[in-house]
Amino acid sequence: GAGVSQSPSNKVTEKGKDVELRCDPISGHTALYWYRQRLGQGLEFLIYFQGNSAPDKSGLPSDRFSAERTGESVSTLTIQRTQQEDSAVYLCASSFVPGSYGYTFGSGTRLTVV
Amino acid sequence: QKEVEQDPGPLSVPEGAIVSLNCTYSNSAFQYFMWYRQYSRKGPELLMYTYSSGNKEDGRFTAQVDKSSKYISLFIRDSQPSDSATYLCAMKSVQGAQKLVFGQGTRLTINP
């Protein structure tokens, strides 16, 4: 597609359940990033993929968070045993080359844990 | 202390005014500086980027970087209601990770 696609756009889940968030980057973009944006806050880096490897996963908040990427395509962010503090917008971005400032962001998945 | 500080606002100005948005930072390794615009329920979009110190102009937008003061600014001239959005500054170091470090964002409203 023309842009970065994320699904679902909204997700409400019960505390303790697992959730999967999906990101389809722009075709040909080798680098993929996940960020989290809490209400009224800036973006927090979670993880960076180059191809299907993750050279930097330093932003993942806990071992409940994991992510994978298939080749240079779809990425899935999984949150296990969700907590209320996980409520946020999860944004995915991709870029043609790693380190490029020219990220293209998706519209995000708004996660609410009740 | 956060690496990047940005006044969250909200900031409300009349149409046609000059808007000044600012960020300060503490990490002297930052070399690349960006401004993103984020409309409600959308992802951020890149507006401006600068490398090291100096000014960069693009239409009604001007970005300034003062590395000696660790201070960056975005000016919007002849502001329009369509400029109403949240503006986020972001920065990264040359040798650092691929991640960007973002400010909190300033919510701006331009009143017709």
Side-chain angles (χ1 to χ4, degrees):
Chain A
V4 177
S5 177
Q6 290 189 247
S7 60
S9 55
N10 285 283
K11 176 73 176 177
V12 180
T13 190
E14 292 181 351
K15 179 181 172 181
K17 295 286 179 77
D18 297 352
V19 294
E20 284 190 355
L21 313 180
R22 177 186 169 106
C23 173
D24 269 290
I26 293 172
S27 178
H29 280 194
T30 63
L32 185 146
Y33 313 82
W34 284 98
Y35 284 79
R36 178 170 71 177
Q37 186 174 30
R38 289 191 166 124
L39 186 63
Q41 301 295 314
L43 280 68
E44 302 171 69
F45 170 80
L46 296 178
I47 188 169
Y48 151 64
F49 284 94
Q50 174 54 36
N52 62 2
S53 67
D56 187 351
K57 52 180 80 171
S58 62
L60 293 178
S62 74
D63 59 8
R64 296 188 295 105
F65 287 72
S66 63
E68 62 179 21
R69 187 180 184 194
T70 307
E72 293 185 351
S73 184
V74 173
S75 176
T76 302
L77 177 69
T78 301
I79 309 173
Q80 295 178 309
R81 304 181 304 282
T82 51
Q83 304 294 311
Q84 288 186 329
E85 63 262 27
D86 299 334
S87 296
V89 176
Y90 289 82
L91 289 158
C92 174
S94 68
S95 66
F96 183 63
V97 294
S100 167
Y101 41 71
Y103 295 4
T104 301
F105 279 91
S107 292
T109 294
R110 185 174 299 270
L111 176 67
T112 304
V113 182
V114 297
Chain B
Q1 183 188 6
K2 294 180 182 177
E3 276 190 292
V4 180
E5 298 277 0
Q6 183 177 8
D7 186 339
L11 181 61
S12 181
V13 301
E15 183 176 354
I18 296 175
V19 177
S20 172
L21 304 167
N22 312 291
C23 290
T24 60
Y25 63 95
S26 57
N27 188 344
S28 58
F30 288 142
Q31 295 277 4
Y32 294 92
F33 304 91
M34 286 137 274
W35 286 95
Y36 282 81
R37 178 176 62 196
Q38 185 176 25
Y39 291 114
S40 180
R41 297 190 174 263
K42 297 291 186 184
E45 55 178 330
L46 180 67
L47 262 184
M48 300 281 287
Y49 69 89
T50 50
Y51 170 68
S52 195
S53 286
N55 293 359
K56 184 169 184 176
E57 188 173 321
D58 184 0
R60 297 184 295 108
F61 298 89
T62 300
Q64 287 186 351
V65 174
D66 181 350
K67 290 191 68 183
S68 62
S69 301
K70 297 190 178 68
Y71 188 87
I72 69 171
S73 301
L74 177 71
F75 297 96
I76 308 174
R77 291 184 300 279
D78 187 25
S79 55
Q80 304 294 311
S82 58
D83 295 328
S84 299
T86 295
Y87 289 79
L88 298 134
C89 62
M91 45 199 80
K92 66 184 291 262
S93 62
V94 175
Q95 294 180 340
Q98 303 302 324
K99 65 181 181 183
L100 296 178
V101 181
F102 283 83
Q104 186 176 352
T106 300
R107 177 175 287 186
L108 173 66
T109 301
I110 309 297
N111 301 303

